[in-house]
Amino acid sequence: MTKTELIRDVIRYLRQFRGSTVVIHLDDALLDSPLFAGHMQDLGLLSEAGIRIVIVPGAKLCISRVLETYHVPWRFVQGMRITDGGGMDLIKMAAFDVSDRVMSRLAAERLHGVVGNWVSARGMGVVDGTDFGSAGKITRIDKTSLERVIDDGFLPILPCVGWTAVGRAYNLSSVDLAVETARVLHASKLFFLEDGLVLRADELRAPESAVISQDNRIASIPLDDVEPFLADNGLAQVLDSGTAADGGREDVRYTAKNARTAFLLRKCREACLGGVTRAHILNGAEDGAVPGEIFSETGSGTMIFRSDYSRFRTMTAADVPAVLSLMHPFIQSGILLPRSEEEVKGQAPWFTVYEIDGGIRACAELKPYPGCNCAEIAAVAVDDSCANSGIGPALMRRLIAKARGDGRAFVFVLTTQTADWFERFGFRAAGPERLPEERVRRMDPARGSRILILPLDRDGGNPAPDSLTEKN
């Protein structure tokens, strides 16, 4: 992707998300990271750009340190910390200390953070014979007061503590608090900024619907595929504690990393089901992780989405400039033939494009030749940012299926540099006598194009590769 295209993407995303609310859950392990100041600066820049920022800092490590210092025992049950009655004052101290550190860092960036009490809670009580003591559940978030603070230009910071009507404090799951805050505020995005957590396609089996980035990161997973993804990777029974729901066994799947991955993916899914448009798991060990996720299509982390984030559709006249821009590098390298704006516009009904968040990232033409009952696949282009993501093969499968559904006897391509790629779909070399006379007349002998043909059977049994491994 060129510098110009990157700038266009940033402008497009700024227009899309200006005025929207983004909730950030901050892993407290990042407080001591050299990148912590940079993350806070990024949040400030986003706020100045008109994005409404809410911060929910985790305090798990800090609370553990304080309890250890004062020799207060605790244990985790179902992901909740249980202490005796005397531990709550220490938990409050640690949780508010974390929030104060975030606020101080924002102040250093000339930003106005504010720590507030917007959360009502009740005790979890006794569940299945276990007294959860100071552990609580969220009963209400004061949306009106919280939005008033945001409208006044402040960045709210929500500690993982909630209060009852009589002022009794309870320890809350900061992750649950982030999910509920995002839901109540109808957030466009919920970010889990984690310390070093990356979902990689060479470590986990990604679903076919996932988008894979060029660095082999799982960039996005549709909401409906989260549970199948966990099951396919043996993580369906993994809990946040790193054990299995059936009692657990010694297994590489039950590592702390996999447990956290499964836990956060389910929380992302929960947030999306609750109305949040998109939820993201980001690597806080990467500088610029938050703006990198917001202002680029494959982002910097893993996104769970319920909206029409990406789709194939028929090209419209409004798409022509973007399609010409997409095709330009392939024309320069000689892979594609030049086409004028009027020519592409006139062929719009035959073009299929792949759109990500309003940006055109792939295109191809399926041109019918009724006289010989065949169709030509041409102008196949996939943006470099989507290479190795499976978009190219998905586009080809779509065109082949369309031609088969239209009753075509075969499809053909003319290519100079990408014959190997088309052969993976079952295309084989043929002579010009197989082509429509109209197409033969337009061939340029000096170009030396190879003719490849794919006969179309009725049962759809033509082979197709699973992933895109080169430009097409």
Side-chain angles (χ1 to χ4, degrees):
M1 185 177 289
T2 66
K3 184 184 296 185
T4 299
E5 290 169 328
L6 289 171
I7 293 171
R8 287 171 178 162
D9 279 350
V10 169
I11 294 172
R12 178 160 52 85
Y13 280 112
L14 270 176
R15 184 171 57 202
Q16 179 177 346
F17 291 112
R18 184 182 292 116
S20 63
T21 300
V22 174
V23 176
I24 313 285
H25 178 271
L26 180 69
D27 185 348
D28 65 329
L30 295 172
L31 294 177
D32 298 321
S33 165
L35 297 179
F36 176 58
H39 290 315
M40 294 299 100
Q41 184 180 54
D42 289 341
L43 297 187
L45 292 172
L46 294 176
S47 177
E48 291 174 1
I51 297 175
R52 298 153 61 91
I53 301 294
V54 179
I55 304 173
V56 180
K60 188 174 184 178
L61 292 178
C62 293
I63 291 173
S64 295
R65 291 184 192 132
V66 170
L67 293 178
E68 287 173 357
T69 299
Y70 288 90
H71 308 291
V72 175
W74 82 89
R75 69 187 190 279
F76 285 104
V77 177
Q78 299 177 16
M80 297 298 296
R81 189 192 303 269
I82 298 178
T83 65
D84 61 27
M88 192 57 217
D89 288 339
L90 298 174
I91 290 172
K92 282 193 297 183
M93 180 176 69
F96 276 86
D97 179 61
V98 168
S99 295
D100 286 343
R101 289 180 63 181
V102 172
M103 184 171 63
S104 297
R105 187 63 253 178
L106 291 174
E109 302 297 333
R110 300 186 183 89
L111 299 167
H112 304 293
V114 57
V115 180
N117 171 19
W118 297 285
V119 184
S120 299
R122 65 171 177 83
M124 289 185 64
V126 179
V127 181
D128 294 330
T130 299
D131 187 346
F132 279 79
S134 58
K137 296 185 68 173
I138 302 163
T139 57
R140 180 176 174 270
I141 292 178
D142 189 345
K143 177 184 177 182
T144 301
S145 297
L146 195 52
E147 288 185 330
R148 186 179 301 122
V149 168
I150 299 171
D151 291 340
D152 288 342
F154 291 91
L155 276 68
I157 304 166
L158 282 70
C160 55
V161 176
W163 281 265
T164 67
V166 295
R168 181 172 182 178
Y170 283 101
N171 181 26
L172 305 175
S173 160
S174 62
V175 171
D176 286 345
L177 179 56
V179 170
E180 183 63 10
T181 301
R183 188 193 68 78
V184 168
L185 294 178
H186 305 292
S188 296
K189 289 182 176 290
L190 167 62
F191 289 126
F192 292 107
L193 192 58
E194 293 287 299
D195 183 26
L197 183 59
V198 182
L199 278 66
R200 296 184 54 81
D202 53 358
E203 297 174 353
L204 295 165
R205 186 178 302 167
E208 289 186 4
S209 58
V211 172
I212 310 301
S213 68
Q214 290 180 302
D215 60 358
N216 220 22
R217 171 178 40 82
I218 302 175
S220 66
I221 303 174
L223 173 64
D224 292 340
D225 288 336
V226 170
E227 286 298 335
F229 169 71
L230 293 176
D232 200 32
N233 285 279
L235 301 177
Q237 299 300 316
V238 176
L239 304 176
D240 187 32
S241 58
T243 60
D246 59 4
R249 64 183 183 195
E250 292 300 323
D251 194 308
V252 69
R253 294 173 297 178
Y254 304 142
T255 64
K257 177 181 177 180
N258 283 348
R260 188 67 173 173
T261 297
F263 175 68
L264 289 179
L265 282 174
R266 283 204 171 101
K267 290 302 177 180
C268 287
R269 180 176 183 272
E270 179 183 330
C272 290
L273 289 174
V276 179
T277 306
R278 300 168 190 177
H280 309 248
I281 300 173
L282 304 185
N283 178 15
E286 178 182 337
D287 190 25
V290 174
E293 182 75 0
I294 291 179
F295 296 125
S296 64
E297 287 165 354
T298 55
S300 61
T302 298
M303 176 179 73
I304 308 303
F305 62 96
R306 66 175 178 85
S307 65
D308 196 7
Y309 162 69
S310 61
R311 58 174 175 160
F312 289 103
R313 60 173 175 80
T314 302
M315 187 179 78
T316 66
D319 298 322
V320 172
V323 168
L324 289 171
S325 178
L326 174 66
M327 293 167 55
H328 181 68
F330 298 97
I331 293 172
Q332 283 192 316
S333 63
I335 294 176
L336 296 181
L337 287 169
R339 288 169 171 81
S340 69
E341 181 175 353
E342 288 304 314
E343 182 181 2
V344 174
K345 187 178 295 184
Q347 296 171 345
W350 299 334
F351 266 85
T352 295
V353 296
Y354 179 74
E355 177 186 53
I356 301 180
D357 264 347
I360 304 301
R361 290 296 172 253
C363 69
E365 179 187 14
L366 181 67
K367 182 177 181 179
Y369 290 88
C372 74
N373 197 27
C374 65
E376 179 183 6
I377 293 177
V380 181
V382 178
D383 190 88
D384 277 342
S385 65
C386 297
N388 301 311
S389 66
I391 291 171
L395 178 56
M396 285 295 296
R397 288 192 290 267
R398 186 180 183 91
L399 297 179
I400 292 169
K402 174 70 165 60
R404 181 181 290 113
D406 290 342
R408 306 298 174 193
F410 65 90
V411 291
F412 68 91
V413 298
L414 274 68
T415 180
T416 57
Q417 301 178 34
T418 56
D420 291 342
W421 189 76
F422 286 108
E423 286 173 355
R424 297 177 185 181
F425 296 90
F427 283 84
R428 294 295 178 261
E433 68 278 0
R434 297 290 304 276
L435 302 187
E437 291 185 9
E438 173 191 345
R439 187 64 182 91
V440 173
R441 287 195 299 269
R442 290 191 290 109
M443 288 180 62
D444 180 3
R447 184 169 169 81
S449 298
R450 294 181 61 186
I451 300 170
L452 302 176
I453 285 181
L454 175 67
L456 298 177
D457 54 28
R458 295 295 181 180
D459 61 6
N462 300 114
D466 292 329
S467 63
L468 180 63
T469 57
E470 60 179 298
K471 284 183 181 179
N472 54 72

